């Protein structure tokens, strides 16, 4: 039987979840769907990375030793790095939901000094617009290069490149990363909707 502390903890989690998803007034259904879709564009590639690099699932091409591969961060093994990268990617994608919920218009209570103050319109729209532009260009560039048999840096794909159209392992990776093409455009659409709504609210 759950203790009072466990019940209280569960209630706090539910309250935090509800607060994070509490829709703002005037949000269109399309904008809400687009915002909530953004984290799901990142999820497949995150799961693929964790499965391949952390749990060494046989879903990659070639004999890549992910267990001993460097992460690029001193002292951080690749297995841990991909988990941290995936969590960071999901948290970054989750910020799109703030553009259609109340915490994108009023700072939450847990933020010191700024709590319950109105979020300046530019504070939300400028980073979101820049992020949408960068993400759209980045993943479009990556997709074009892949279709031409090249890496994102323009170099030729090696025989053991994870993303490929040559076998099922490469196709699994392509399918996992393909939804990232939608991240930027979806975020851009939600950002435009947010800007119009805030401007309309201010004028009314």
């Amino acid at each position: 039987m759950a203790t009072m502390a466990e019940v209280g903890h569960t209630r706090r989690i539910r309250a935090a979840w509800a607060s994070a998803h509490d829709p703002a007034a005037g949000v269109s259904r399309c904008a809400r769907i687009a915002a909530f879709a953004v984290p799901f564009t990142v999820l497949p590639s995150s799961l693929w990375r964790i499965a391949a690099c952390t749990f060494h699932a046989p879903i990659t091409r070639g004999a890549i030793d992910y267990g001993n591969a460097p992460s690029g961060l001193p002292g951080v093994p690749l297995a841990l790095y991909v988990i941290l990268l995936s969590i960071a990617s999901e948290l970054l994608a989750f910020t799109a939901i703030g553009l259609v919920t109340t915490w994108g218009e009023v700072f939450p209570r847990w933020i010191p000094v700024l709590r319950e103050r109105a979020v300046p319109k530019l504070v939300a729209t400028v980073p979101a617009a820049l992020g949408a532009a960068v993400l759209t260009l980045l993943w479009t560039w990556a997709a074009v290069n892949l279709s031409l048999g090249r890496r994102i840096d323009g170099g030729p794909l090696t025989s053991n490149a994870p993303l490929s159209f040559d076998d099922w392992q490469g196709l699994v990776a392509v399918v996992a990363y393909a939804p990232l093409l939608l991240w930027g455009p979806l975020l851009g659409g939600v950002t435009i909707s947010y800007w119009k709504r805030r401007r309309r609210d201010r004028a009314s």
Side-chain angles (χ1 to χ4, degrees):
M1 189 172 181
T3 64
M4 292 298 292
E6 291 172 339
V7 171
H9 183 64
T10 301
R11 287 178 177 174
R12 285 193 295 271
I13 292 176
R14 289 178 178 175
W17 177 267
S19 177
H21 296 80
D22 187 21
V27 175
S28 68
R29 185 170 182 269
C30 289
R32 184 172 172 80
I33 292 174
F36 278 83
V38 168
F40 290 100
T41 66
V42 181
L43 186 60
S45 58
S46 296
L47 294 177
W48 183 90
R49 282 195 303 269
I50 292 174
C53 303
T54 303
F55 296 105
H56 314 295
I59 57 174
T60 58
R61 305 174 69 238
I64 304 175
D65 186 5
Y66 285 111
N68 296 319
S71 68
L73 295 179
V76 179
L78 183 64
L80 176 59
Y81 171 78
V82 296
I83 292 177
L84 296 176
L85 174 63
S86 299
I87 292 174
S89 298
E90 285 297 330
L91 291 175
L92 185 62
F94 186 78
T95 59
I97 295 177
L99 298 174
V100 297
T101 54
T102 54
W103 57 272
E105 299 185 4
V106 179
F107 287 107
R109 296 178 181 177
W110 52 267
I111 298 182
V113 182
L114 298 175
R115 65 183 65 184
E116 298 185 342
R117 295 187 179 183
V119 176
K121 186 169 53 179
L122 292 178
V123 168
T125 52
V126 170
L130 290 175
V134 170
L135 289 167
T136 300
L137 291 173
L138 172 65
W139 293 114
T140 300
W141 174 256
V144 170
N145 276 337
L146 178 63
S147 67
L148 297 175
R150 296 184 176 277
R151 302 190 305 264
I152 193 171
D153 62 0
L157 286 175
T158 59
S159 60
N160 62 350
L163 277 73
S164 170
F165 298 103
D166 297 333
D167 51 34
W168 72 265
Q169 292 101 329
L171 288 174
V172 167
V174 170
V175 169
Y177 275 83
L180 291 170
L181 285 166
L182 299 175
W183 187 359
L186 286 173
L187 179 59
V190 176
T191 303
I192 292 173
S193 175
Y194 175 88
W195 172 267
K196 290 182 177 178
R197 188 178 73 254
R198 293 294 303 275
R199 186 176 60 179
R200 183 177 64 249
D201 293 345
R202 185 176 181 181
S204 60

